[in-house]
């Protein structure tokens, strides 16, 4: 009797597991789309938004102030997901920034983590203003041309975030100076969008 019971469990469990994960492909929560058709970057660099899950940021010239935000991001977000090949950090940087200071910060960020998926792109303030406005958020750039807010852009160039945030209602971007927001909100949201694409990939493979 025990033998048949064990065989029955071994036979049924894989089926139950399959049904559970198969249903999850269709029912798994998705990170809300807040804006669509974000323009592709035209910056002459070998970086793009299409086909990448991008954390997009805007680094101002006051790197002493914003450097701390970068370290927060590195510790709370980037290190956790740096190994995902379709995931990238992309920061637009004013051309008149202190390059020595930028190099110092990049070196310190690289200690203990591979920064190959974290891009700092030098461009004009005019280009930075254009890209920032294209996101169509209620935020404004700071006086030094940057922003503490960072944004999640999916592979189809859609802005993702929260449409029912308990604090702000609609959360277009995440405050990189707020460690609690990075830990409690952004990290969860990055997990959701990465899981969303993994499940979609599994479904596509299963349908073939």
């Amino acid at each position: 009797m025990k033998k048949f019971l064990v065989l029955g469990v071994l036979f049924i469990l894989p089926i139950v597991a399959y049904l559970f994960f198969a249903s999850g492909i269709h029912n798994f929560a998705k990170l809300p789309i807040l804006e669509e058709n974000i323009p592709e970057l035209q910056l002459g660099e070998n970086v793009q938004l299409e086909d990448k899950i991008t954390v997009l940021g805007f680094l101002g010239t006051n790197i002493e102030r914003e450097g701390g935000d970068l370290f927060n991001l590195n510790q709370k977000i980037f290190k956790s997901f740096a190994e995902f090949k379709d995931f990238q950090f992309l920061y637009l940087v004013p051309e008149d920034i202190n390059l020595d200071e930028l190099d110092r910060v990049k070196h310190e960020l690289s200690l203990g983590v591979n920064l190959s998926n974290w891009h700092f792109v030098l461009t004009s303030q005019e280009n930075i203003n254009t890209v920032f406005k294209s996101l169509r958020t209620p935020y404004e750039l700071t006086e030094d041309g940057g922003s503490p807010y960072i944004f999640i852009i999916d592979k189809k160039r859609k802005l993702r975030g929260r449409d029912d945030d308990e604090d702000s209602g609609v959360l277009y971007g995440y405050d990189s100076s707020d460690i609690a927001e990075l830990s409690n909100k952004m990290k969860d949201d990055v997990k959701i969008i990465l899981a969303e694409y993994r499940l979609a990939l599994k479904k596509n493979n299963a349908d073939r």
Side-chain angles (χ1 to χ4, degrees):
M1 183 66 182
K2 289 183 180 180
K3 180 179 179 181
F4 289 112
L5 182 61
V6 171
L7 290 174
V9 169
L10 292 175
F11 177 74
I12 293 173
L13 272 180
I15 297 175
V16 172
Y18 171 80
L19 291 174
F20 174 78
F21 287 111
S23 62
I25 290 174
H26 301 287
N27 300 324
F28 190 85
K30 293 184 177 182
L31 194 63
I33 296 170
L34 304 180
E35 293 289 345
E36 300 191 43
N37 301 316
I38 304 300
E40 183 57 272
L41 301 178
Q42 305 293 333
L43 302 177
E45 294 280 345
N46 190 28
V47 291
Q48 63 182 32
L49 300 177
E50 192 80 17
D51 296 325
K52 293 285 187 180
I53 299 170
T54 302
V55 172
L56 179 63
F58 301 84
L59 187 66
T61 55
N62 188 357
I63 198 166
E64 289 186 7
R65 175 180 61 80
E66 302 192 42
D69 296 353
L70 297 179
F71 291 119
N72 291 341
L73 276 170
N74 191 31
Q75 294 296 323
K76 299 299 180 181
I77 307 296
F78 185 75
K79 281 187 175 181
S80 299
F81 307 106
E83 299 304 317
F84 288 89
K85 66 177 182 178
D86 294 334
F87 180 73
Q88 67 177 354
F89 266 41
L90 175 57
Y91 260 82
L92 302 188
V93 184
E95 291 172 326
D96 57 345
I97 198 169
N98 185 318
L99 294 179
D100 290 336
E101 283 295 303
L102 179 61
D103 287 340
R104 178 186 61 80
V105 169
K106 288 165 64 175
H107 171 71
E108 293 179 7
L109 289 172
S110 69
L111 300 177
V113 64
N114 184 347
L115 288 186
S116 60
N117 286 334
W118 190 330
H119 309 287
F120 292 88
V121 178
L122 292 171
T123 188
S124 68
Q125 189 62 52
E126 182 181 0
N127 282 337
I128 291 172
N129 295 344
T130 298
V131 174
F132 191 84
K133 289 179 181 178
S134 75
L135 301 177
R136 299 183 289 277
T137 75
Y139 312 130
E140 300 286 343
L141 291 172
T142 56
E143 290 184 1
D144 70 338
S147 175
Y149 291 99
I150 50 178
F151 307 91
I152 298 175
I153 313 294
D154 72 13
K155 292 185 177 184
K156 298 300 182 183
R157 292 184 284 106
K158 299 176 183 180
L159 176 66
R160 300 293 194 100
R162 297 188 176 196
D163 56 11
D164 60 350
D165 183 65
E166 63 270 21
D167 297 315
S168 56
V170 179
L171 187 66
Y172 291 90
Y174 306 82
D175 188 347
S176 59
S177 66
D178 188 336
I179 294 178
E181 184 159 293
L182 296 180
S183 300
N184 300 328
K185 295 182 181 180
M186 187 177 184
K187 191 169 187 177
D188 284 347
D189 291 354
V190 172
K191 287 179 181 178
I192 288 173
I193 194 168
L194 289 173
E196 179 182 330
Y197 277 102
R198 285 198 301 268
L199 287 168
L201 180 61
K202 289 181 181 179
K203 182 179 183 299
N204 289 337
N205 291 338
D207 290 342
R208 290 177 180 175

